[in-house]
Amino acid sequence: MTRILFLLALFSLCLPAAAQRADVNYDEAKVPKYVLPDPLVLADGKPVRDARTWNARRRPEILELFRSNVYGRSPARPEKMTFELAEIDPRALGGKAVRKQIVGSFSDRTDSPRMGILLYLPAGAKGPVPVFLGLNFGGNHTVNADPGIRLGQVWQKGVKQAAVETARGAAAHSWQVEMILACGYGVASIYYGDIEPDFNGGKPHGVRALYPGETGAESWGSIGAWAWGLSRAMDCLVKDKAVDAKRVALMGHSRLGKTALWAGAEDTRFALVISNDSGEGGASLARRKFGERVKNLNTSFPHWFCANYTKFNDREEDLPIDQHMLIALIAPRPVYVCSAQEDQWADPRGEFLAAAAAGPVYQLLGKKGLGTDRMPGVHEPIMNTVGYHIRAGKHDVTAYDWERFLDFADKHLAAQR
Ligand code: GCU
């Protein structure tokens, strides 16, 4: 029973709240004509013709536009953050993995928010391994049925509660730990609610409460906080000699896909970024006004973005950026955008078109973008430095998705298989 309730709660997190509303456009013929802002034109109107100008001038301009209009501004790394190895099992998962559980305290306050990092590394690795890092929705114990994963606390309806035994492995299909390990990669996962709980009014319970001075229309929202938390996890991974910190790939689904893209834009230590079904405010183009809109985001999830983002409710064409420029901020690092066919709320075509429109920046930096404006069919992945696939089925992360993430990572991070 508890398991069913838990699954229902997890499922409701992923439900497109307003998907069936009559005012939502799902008709391609009703997509308005739009002009995307050009990532390769400076604010002063001059063209960006070389990598130097991109890196020194245009990239910082775009990053700043996303900070001040969309995700908000995040603080620097905390000076008093500590990481403590709370548990290690060199023979986890029937001997296939080394499992480490690390507690990161964001400050030296006794009541500081803390995040639990669950890290699996392939047993018997000959050297440092590449690692997938991502936030999870339901608690670290949902990532795998492994009885050794510590049961932490999870947020339910705005209340922190002890995680329950019966929820172990509830999200295992979205993590595929054994498949990842068998391919020679490690995987690290963190419960996003450890960084900040996901409800309007959750701010006092998360990392943003440690920075009371960060207020105003440009200050960070929860997505900014979760992305910042990923950077703090990276601060920990770079210290682990068993991890190849130059090959850490971010993976995020849905709101956590938006988060992964933003983290990859803000922090260039991440070698590769995967956005799965991230939709509006993530990989898909806002100007298409297809499926979820900026106003839906700001209404249903007012805590996610900075206050300035509300200026673009019903006025997406006024945004000084569009989401292809978020993807371009990751260049020249590999980025993989994934959609699901039945996830029209996230606008799969808009996700594809944004990935395609980041191409000129990749090209300028000597890499190959998607290389096509024609959306591929279902299960026809494209894997250049920018990659894309659309899978059959619903809003989710599945074994098919992970197989492709691993193909893409193999191609770009050259892991030993
Ligand atoms: C809702 C929301 C989306 C978000 C998704 C999720 O559907 O409208 O923007 O991506 O939740 O995170 O599951």
Side-chain angles (χ1 to χ4, degrees):
M1 186 60 184
T2 329
R3 189 184 171 91
I4 292 172
L5 282 178
F6 173 80
L7 287 172
L8 279 176
L10 204 65
F11 183 64
S12 68
L13 266 179
C14 306
L15 265 188
Q20 299 310 322
R21 281 176 21 188
D23 58 341
V24 178
N25 178 39
Y26 290 115
D27 183 353
E28 195 57 38
K30 293 200 180 125
V31 169
K33 286 214 164 18
Y34 60 87
V35 181
L36 291 180
D38 190 336
L40 293 179
V41 175
L42 287 155
D44 66 9
K46 297 212 175 85
V48 178
R49 292 217 171 86
D50 51 55
R52 222 173 62 108
T53 312
W54 167 260
N55 287 319
R57 296 187 54 200
R58 185 56 175 153
R59 187 178 187 282
E61 270 180 12
I62 297 175
L63 196 53
E64 200 44 43
L65 289 172
F66 275 105
R67 285 180 184 146
S68 52
N69 294 289
V70 185
Y71 305 103
R73 214 174 292 283
S74 304
R77 171 194 315 204
E79 274 164 27
K80 298 200 169 139
M81 177 142 197
T82 55
F83 297 101
E84 186 203 331
L85 181 63
E87 191 262 356
I88 178 163
D89 180 353
R91 299 199 50 78
L93 300 179
K96 290 194 206 96
V98 177
R99 183 189 61 235
K100 297 182 188 177
Q101 297 184 78
I102 301 148
V103 178
S105 300
F106 291 101
S107 80
D108 59 359
R109 277 170 38 176
T110 47
D111 63 345
S112 172
R114 293 183 168 77
M115 66 176 173
I117 306 175
L118 169 67
L119 174 63
Y120 285 109
L121 299 168
K126 303 235 159 31
V129 295
V131 168
F132 287 95
L133 167 65
L135 300 177
N136 66 70
F137 285 98
N140 291 353
H141 61 298
T142 65
V143 165
N144 191 277
D146 179 358
I149 302 175
R150 300 168 101 205
L151 292 178
Q153 292 189 306
V154 287
W155 290 91
Q156 261 157 16
K157 297 205 162 102
V159 182
K160 212 174 191 182
Q161 295 181 355
V164 291
E165 194 64 45
T166 44
R168 274 192 198 283
H173 76 284
S174 292
W175 286 92
Q176 300 290 334
V177 170
E178 285 83 357
M179 185 200 293
I180 297 169
L181 292 166
C183 293
Y185 294 81
V187 53
S189 191
I190 299 155
Y191 172 48
Y192 80 141
D194 278 0
I195 302 168
E196 181 169 304
D198 187 4
F199 60 91
N200 192 21
K203 186 171 163 179
H205 308 288
V207 294
R208 285 192 293 158
L210 296 173
Y211 300 88
E214 308 271 339
T215 54
E218 297 188 6
S219 83
W220 53 340
S222 310
I223 289 180
W226 298 324
W228 182 87
L230 284 168
S231 285
R232 305 296 63 88
M234 187 65 171
D235 299 340
C236 173
L237 292 179
V238 296
K239 292 192 197 133
D240 189 327
K241 295 212 162 50
V243 171
D244 183 350
K246 295 233 155 24
R247 291 189 294 163
V248 174
L250 280 178
M251 194 293 288
H253 169 60
S254 209
R255 68 199 69 185
L256 298 177
K258 309 182 208 298
T259 303
L261 287 169
W262 180 232
E266 278 274 40
D267 190 338
T268 56
R269 293 175 299 173
F270 295 115
L272 184 155
V273 182
I274 299 163
S275 144
N276 193 79
D277 304 354
S278 63
E280 189 75 6
S284 70
L285 292 175
R287 279 169 175 75
R288 279 173 46 82
K289 305 187 178 179
F290 185 104
E292 186 170 31
R293 304 273 304 270
V294 167
K295 187 177 177 182
N296 297 120
L297 283 173
N298 285 324
T299 309
S300 306
F301 311 100
H303 54 296
W304 282 3
F305 296 87
C306 75
N308 271 344
Y309 199 40
T310 56
K311 290 187 188 157
F312 306 99
N313 287 353
D314 291 325
R315 308 172 64 95
E316 285 89 342
E317 60 282 359
D318 290 348
L319 278 160
I321 43 77
D322 210 317
Q323 300 303 111
H324 62 308
M325 291 158 87
L326 178 64
I327 297 171
L329 286 175
I330 296 163
R333 293 164 292 151
V335 63
Y336 194 64
V337 174
C338 316
S339 310
Q341 201 180 18
E342 291 171 33
D343 186 18
Q344 293 298 309
W345 180 241
D347 187 12
R349 179 172 292 279
E351 296 183 313
F352 166 77
L353 290 172
V361 176
Y362 278 82
Q363 243 169 314
L364 181 81
L365 302 178
K367 303 282 180 187
K368 190 162 180 210
L370 277 186
T372 176
D373 288 336
R374 251 195 79 234
M375 190 163 167
V378 167
H379 303 164
E380 288 174 10
I382 302 174
M383 296 215 180
N384 299 322
T385 307
V386 182
Y388 176 82
H389 79 231
I390 176 162
R391 156 183 69 67
K394 295 194 168 60
H395 187 73
D396 198 0
V397 193
T398 67
Y400 173 86
D401 296 316
W402 271 107
E403 285 162 12
R404 300 296 79 75
F405 302 164
L406 287 159
D407 290 345
F408 189 72
D410 275 357
K411 185 161 177 182
H412 296 290
L413 302 180
Q416 303 300 317
R417 287 190 101 154

